[in-house]
Amino acid sequence: MSIPTLRIGDLTATIPLVQGGMGVRVSLASLAAAVAEEGGIGTISSVGLGDLERGGRDYERVSQAALREEIRKARKMTDGILAVNFMGALSNVEDLVRATVEEGIRLVVFGAGLPMRLPSMVPDPGVHLVPIVSSARAAELILRAWAKRYQRTADAFILEGPLAGGHLGFSPTELQQPEDYTLDKLLPPLLDTVKPYEEKFEKRIPVIAAGGIYDGRDIARMLKLGAAGVQMATRFVCTWECDAAREFKEAYLNATEEDIVIIKSPVGLPGRALQNRFLQNLEAAGKQTVHCPYRCLTACKASEARFCIAKALLNAYRGDVEHGLIFCGQNAHRIHTIVSVKELIAELMDELRTALEENP
Ligand SMILES: Cc1cc2nc3c(=O)[nH]c(=O)nc-3n(C[C@H](O)[C@H](O)[C@H](O)COP(=O)(O)O)c2cc1C
């Protein structure tokens, strides 16, 4: 049985797999290009780029220039499909989106907040807009607002469930009952929500499922439920091409299930991360002193923030895992080896093919 392609507008990925954007440099050109080269969609994260320490007040210009550089680097490595991921909470998100479109990227993925005004940032209909949502209700709000204000609709949705890594679109109470919010439960109402907009705009609005998808069987299950593809991130951390330091990847390999915890982030959302000395010290101290020469997050007040998330994620990315925040998905503890992107994708697609044959 053949593996379905993933179509978003006029872009066709030869496999139904998106590598999720991972902020503060975990997914840059190296990882994204490797995934795109294997036929998937590779995502560069726009979050926390540039020489933040030295950038200071010049942060906005510096981070935008660094993003342009990553896009150009990735383009030199592949002709495959590249996306850029944005966080609504970023203070300079509009500048970053504009720079991305100027660099020729045609897939804009937007999470951590509802992108109500995204079409006004990207008027070109040739650039595909892909919001990340955690419920059908959030998708409905976006679809209704975009249809009314911009006569435009989403080109795809990423549906992120509660087992994902990084920031999560669920309340701490909801996260205590992940069984109530499984992708199997969240997906059907989202598919129903997009249907009238598919008819109105006469186009497909594919839904891509994310969060806790670990192997080819999981991918097959999502496709059977009606997803057009899946987005995976945690498994891509333990690849040679992942842009984070070796120590970051080894922290995953050494993790047990009990090490995976939910934290409260200065972004204003819960996040999933690995328990470590950084989190223990923070717990004991209650709060770190935060000096902020720039303001990368709109909602973050340096005087009130418990810690600087940009600095903590940057430490982890660089390999200082005892002083860094290591974001991860709920399945990080299941990974035991570092492999190449090629090997990982070949394994996933073999498993997917088998699962589709067993249960067509
Ligand atoms: C280390 C890490 C960093 C992440 N950073 C971001 C981010 O900056 N923006 C975003 O939209 N999603 C982020 N995510 C979420 C992923 O893109 C993805 O949707 C999710 O983790 C999928 O679940 P999985 O990790 O179980 O495969 C991050 C995930 C991880 C593991």
Side-chain angles (χ1 to χ4, degrees), residues 2 16 41 48 96 118 151 181 225 266 276 278 280 297-298 302 339 355:
S2 64
I41 296 179
L96 294 174
L118 186 57
Q151 295 75 53
Y181 302 94
L225 278 172
N276 65 353
F278 169 76
Q280 285 159 0
L297 298 170
T298 42
V339 295

Side-chain angles (χ1 to χ4, degrees), residues 187-221:
L187 191 55
L190 179 52
L191 293 171
D192 287 343
T193 299
V194 300
K195 218 171 275 162
Y197 294 89
E198 289 184 309
E199 281 159 20
K200 181 176 160 73
F201 288 91
E202 296 179 346
K203 61 184 269 183
R204 285 260 302 123
I205 306 177
V207 175
I208 296 156
I213 291 163
Y214 189 80
D215 57 22
R217 273 183 189 281
D218 295 337
I219 303 176
R221 207 177 69 250

